[in-house]
Amino acid sequence: MNQTKIGIIGLGYVGLPLAVEFGKKYPTIGFDINANRIAELQTGVDKTLETSKKELDDSTYLTFSDVAEKLAQCNVYIVTVPTPINAHKQPDLSPLMKASALLGTVIKRNDIIIYESTVYPGATEEICVPILEQVSGLTFNTDFFVGYSPERINPGDKEHRVTNIFKITSGSTPETADTVDALYNVIITAGTHKASSIKVAEAAKIIENTQRDVNIALINELAILFNKLNIDTEEVLLAAGTKWNFLPFKPGLVGGHCISVDPYYLTHKALAIGYNPEIILAGRRLNDNMGFYIVSQVIKLMLKKCLQISDAKILIMGLTFKENCPDIRNTRVVDIINEFKTYDAQVDVYDPWVDPKETEHEYGITPINNLIENQYDAILLAVKHDQFTHMGVDAIRALGKENHVLYDIKYLLPANQVDGRL
């Protein structure tokens, strides 16, 4: 496509890095409905820390806007909006539907719309395409065409970036598939895999994270079992890991926007066609309950040390869903916080990576700014940030009262330096 002009819809952890790379090659408009986000990006500030000011400056052909009408000059649109779940753990496709409706007001004949948001197999053609047709008045695969190329961004990962992560592509016609594949190959140095259909590409993406979720659930269940057997789980995993084909998963909280969400999209579709997915849902239930299990273990340790639970001061170190990034989406650390509060404990949360305004807005949590010594009855290492690793056990222990419990969720410290861990 010699006159390619690209519009990226949604400038979060997925959309912005993609816009930066395409903006080095093609005229690209990065669009987001959040005016504050646009204003920050125009000054070279990315609060997700996925891109630097230099990377933004080096993207010569990239501009930002929150004005939908400006997208009309584009002929390729890439949708990277969130696909979360609601309070009932059902897919929330409203951001995707709104983005499709918005694009319906600007697309023209021969335009291509590519979706990167994770969905269940069939969602692109069953949900998004009818909205595009209805709003635009154009006919699918005659007037406009659709592609699907699922995102594989790993927030906070500075090694696996958008350009060096192998990319799945697909299109609604063979010609569209070729065009979409060629477009991504311009920026993806790792290469691409052209799927035979959009549904195949959707299914491939959804099982990537479902597979990880089920595997982590197995390790979480083993951690619970080994705890009852008084066996250290990390030692077991290190021993088992000496076999060449052992899968190196670890127990813990399963949060974030992908692994803890995507399986519900697949099970939703499965139930809709009359199939009850047993293993996937069992894994989800187990992983969703890990926060409650962790609190029960800490309380047992506190009781053994004759510590009072009601009005106890608890320090949670880490709130993000993973280490060394500011991403708090669907963090399961909140399960631990809320469970402690049911025991009338006083909970402080410390995380140098988070934006306090964002945590207050999303979860009603205001993190503390500074750590003070001799304050806490229990300390939980919930996220393996580098800052916590560099503190060492003495500095972390100093935060507790003379008699306290130190519980390590992330294997940040050796087993003999903590009172308990997964």
Side-chain angles (χ1 to χ4, degrees):
M1 301 177 68
N2 294 328
Q3 303 300 319
T4 299
K5 295 183 178 179
I6 299 173
I8 309 288
I9 318 303
L11 296 175
Y13 286 87
V14 174
L16 181 59
L18 195 67
V20 166
E21 294 305 322
F22 273 122
K24 296 174 182 178
K25 305 291 184 178
Y26 302 105
T28 302
I29 297 176
F31 173 85
D32 201 288
I33 59 174
N34 186 335
N36 290 333
R37 173 72 165 158
I38 295 298
E40 289 172 352
L41 291 173
Q42 287 173 336
T43 62
V45 175
D46 172 25
K47 284 189 174 180
T48 70
L49 305 182
E50 289 300 300
T51 60
S52 65
K53 187 177 188 305
K54 183 180 186 306
E55 287 172 320
L56 291 170
D57 291 341
D58 288 345
S59 190
T60 310
Y61 307 111
L62 174 62
T63 58
F64 299 106
S65 179
D66 60 346
V67 180
E69 289 75 13
K70 290 188 177 181
L71 291 169
Q73 61 189 274
C74 301
N75 50 24
V76 174
Y77 303 90
I78 302 177
V79 179
T80 62
V81 298
T83 44
I85 53 175
N86 61 25
H88 304 290
K89 297 178 180 177
Q90 295 293 314
D92 178 6
L93 292 171
S94 57
L96 203 59
M97 295 169 72
K98 289 176 181 177
S100 298
L102 181 148
L103 287 177
T105 66
V106 297
I107 61 172
K108 309 165 294 300
R109 286 181 59 84
N110 297 319
D111 283 357
I112 296 177
I113 303 92
I114 304 168
Y115 290 89
E116 288 212 0
S117 306
T118 304
V119 292
Y120 54 78
T124 300
E125 290 157 297
E126 296 167 8
I127 304 297
C128 301
V129 167
I131 295 173
L132 292 169
E133 285 190 310
Q134 181 181 5
V135 176
S136 69
L138 301 175
T139 302
F140 176 49
N141 278 345
T142 299
D143 300 321
F144 71 91
F145 306 87
V146 169
Y148 184 78
S149 181
E151 60 88 6
R152 281 177 166 169
I153 293 294
N154 186 25
D157 189 337
K158 300 306 178 184
E159 180 180 352
H160 300 97
R161 308 302 297 270
V162 63
T163 56
N164 62 12
I165 299 174
F166 209 83
K167 199 88 163 74
I168 297 172
T169 66
S170 65
S172 55
T173 68
E175 294 77 18
T176 305
D178 289 341
T179 300
V180 171
D181 192 66
L183 179 68
Y184 277 104
N185 266 297
V186 172
I187 65 166
I188 305 296
T189 58
T192 60
H193 174 88
K194 185 168 58 176
S196 61
S197 69
I198 287 176
K199 283 186 179 181
V200 167
E202 290 168 327
K205 170 57 181 177
I206 205 83
I207 70 166
E208 289 177 15
N209 291 323
T210 301
Q211 182 187 61
R212 287 181 56 79
D213 191 45
V214 171
N215 276 289
I216 296 171
L218 171 62
I219 302 301
N220 275 336
E221 187 164 56
L222 292 173
I224 295 171
L225 172 60
F226 294 148
N227 178 64
K228 292 180 179 295
L229 294 172
N230 197 29
I231 301 173
D232 185 81
T233 303
E234 186 186 33
E235 290 185 18
V236 175
L237 295 176
L238 289 172
T242 59
K243 188 180 181 186
W244 71 91
N245 59 353
F246 183 80
L247 300 177
F249 289 96
K250 292 182 178 180
L253 301 169
V254 183
H257 186 63
C258 295
I259 298 178
S260 61
V261 173
D262 295 353
Y264 287 120
Y265 273 72
L266 188 56
T267 57
H268 169 81
K269 184 64 174 180
L271 293 169
I273 62 172
Y275 178 74
N276 184 40
E278 298 182 22
I279 293 176
I280 300 171
L281 285 175
R284 276 284 74 234
R285 285 191 297 270
L286 199 148
N287 285 340
D288 276 346
N289 284 321
M290 286 305 292
F292 309 112
Y293 171 76
I294 288 167
V295 172
S296 73
Q297 295 304 107
V298 174
I299 287 175
K300 287 178 182 178
L301 291 169
M302 292 176 69
L303 292 174
K304 286 181 179 179
K305 290 195 173 189
C306 299
L307 294 168
Q308 182 174 315
I309 308 302
S310 179
D311 290 326
K313 292 199 67 177
I314 312 293
L315 174 64
I316 310 291
M317 296 183 67
L319 180 59
T320 60
F321 91 89
K322 64 178 294 188
E323 66 274 7
N324 302 326
C325 80
D327 195 346
I328 61 169
R329 292 176 297 174
N330 201 36
T331 173
R332 300 304 355 129
V333 178
V334 297
D335 296 339
I336 295 175
I337 297 167
N338 293 335
E339 183 68 0
F340 270 122
K341 287 181 178 179
T342 67
Y343 290 90
D344 295 324
Q346 302 176 43
V347 182
D348 282 347
V349 180
Y350 176 74
D351 193 319
W353 282 86
V354 302
D355 180 347
K357 291 182 180 178
E358 187 179 2
T359 61
E360 177 66 38
H361 178 265
E362 291 296 323
Y363 301 111
I365 295 171
T366 303
I368 60 173
N369 295 320
N370 300 296
L371 293 171
I372 303 175
E373 295 184 353
N374 304 311
Q375 293 292 307
Y376 299 101
D377 299 291
I379 303 167
L380 282 79
L381 303 174
V383 185
K384 199 174 184 178
H385 291 317
D386 286 345
Q387 290 93 328
F388 301 160
T389 302
H390 295 154
M391 283 179 68
V393 65
D394 291 338
I396 294 172
R397 284 281 191 187
L399 303 172
K401 298 175 182 176
E402 183 177 353
N403 184 26
H404 69 271
V405 166
L406 176 57
Y407 191 88
D408 189 356
I409 299 171
K410 298 296 292 184
Y411 299 160
L412 191 148
L413 296 170
N416 60 3
Q417 294 183 354
V418 299
D419 299 299
R421 60 180 186 166
L422 274 180

